[in-house]
Amino acid sequence: MNYPNGKKATPKATINQSKNILNTYGNRGMTLENEIVETNKFYLDTNIAVIHKKPTPVQVVQVDYPKRSAAVIKEAYYRRPSTTDFNGLYKGRYIDFEAKETNNKTSLPFSNIHDHQVEHMRNVDQHGGICFFIIRFKPLNETYLLPIRPFIRAWDTEFDGKRKSLPYTFIKEKGFEIPFRLQAKVDYIKVIEKVYINGGD
């Protein structure tokens, strides 16, 4: 897989493993993301919301066919930096969010968050969309919805250039813990309903 800066790698997989090869890069939260995908399917099946994972913008440039039933991706490029993980609609409101998962107990490293993602989320918020992070602290088994506005204020002022991570205490104070349900493992719509719909934000 090649990045826009020209760095190269040569992952190999059969065509049936192509999804895994694309998810290998820049994606540290697949367990959380998979649970969100499951939750989104439940929302869709029960007519609650229409929210999907965005496809990764990858351009495959070289494929080998060692046998008829398999293909090996030899070289590929990210066509452009990805923005956020998920988007869709809930009760006529546009939803756009990023999922992050960390093994750290006390903070979320800023290295997991990129400038272009923040700018995209800032723009979505300015145009009236519902935008947020879903953040999981794996050692604590806690998952939070952090609205973009307190994050932006922190990114622009308090933490900009001074910290390398977003403290757990900040996320716990400014965010909302997401309940776990059997069918909706990451039931973030409950939080959206409370904070954005009934709360009028």
Side-chain angles (χ1 to χ4, degrees):
M1 192 72 66
N2 295 302
Y3 291 83
N5 62 10
K7 294 182 180 179
K8 293 185 177 182
T10 54
K12 296 181 180 180
T14 66
I15 195 167
N16 292 330
Q17 297 170 314
S18 60
K19 183 176 180 181
N20 292 332
I21 188 175
L22 299 181
N23 286 335
T24 300
Y25 296 88
N27 191 341
R28 299 173 182 174
M30 273 313 298
T31 300
L32 174 60
E33 286 190 3
N34 284 340
E35 290 185 8
I36 293 173
V37 168
E38 276 190 42
T39 299
N40 289 344
K41 185 178 185 304
F42 170 75
Y43 290 158
L44 184 64
D45 290 346
T46 54
N47 200 31
I48 293 173
V50 180
I51 300 171
H52 296 287
K53 189 177 187 324
K54 297 179 185 178
T56 304
V58 171
Q59 177 68 52
V60 176
V61 296
Q62 183 179 352
V63 182
D64 287 351
Y65 296 90
K67 55 183 179 179
R68 290 183 179 180
S69 61
V72 176
I73 299 173
K74 301 289 287 186
E75 188 174 355
Y77 293 87
Y78 284 110
R79 290 184 294 183
R80 60 186 181 276
S82 60
T83 52
T84 47
D85 292 324
F86 297 90
N87 67 345
L89 289 167
Y90 174 64
K91 291 189 174 180
R93 298 288 301 274
Y94 176 72
I95 308 293
D96 197 303
F97 66 94
E98 175 76 5
K100 297 295 183 185
E101 191 169 21
T102 180
N103 289 314
N104 196 312
K105 293 181 180 180
T106 59
S107 65
L108 175 71
F110 274 149
S111 59
N112 286 1
I113 303 169
H114 305 289
D115 289 342
H116 68 271
Q117 292 177 319
V118 176
E119 289 310 304
H120 167 78
M121 298 174 83
R122 188 197 304 270
N123 290 336
V124 169
D125 178 63
Q126 289 175 347
H127 285 271
I130 295 175
C131 199
F132 52 89
F133 287 93
I134 291 181
I135 301 169
R136 171 169 292 171
F137 290 90
K138 290 175 65 177
L140 304 176
N141 195 28
E142 294 177 5
T143 305
Y144 292 90
L145 184 153
L146 179 65
I148 192 58
R149 291 181 184 178
F151 174 87
I152 289 290
R153 287 193 291 269
W155 180 270
D156 287 345
T157 58
E158 185 176 354
F159 303 117
D160 187 24
K162 300 176 183 178
R163 297 189 62 100
K164 295 183 178 179
S165 62
L166 194 65
Y168 165 79
T169 52
F170 177 89
I171 295 169
K172 187 176 179 66
E173 177 186 354
K174 302 295 185 181
F176 302 85
E177 190 164 5
I178 298 174
F180 175 88
R181 293 176 58 198
L182 185 61
Q183 291 178 306
K185 293 181 173 60
V186 188
D187 196 8
Y188 61 92
I189 286 293
K190 295 289 187 184
V191 179
I192 291 176
E193 184 72 25
K194 175 183 176 181
V195 176
Y196 294 97
I197 306 301
N198 294 335
D201 192 1

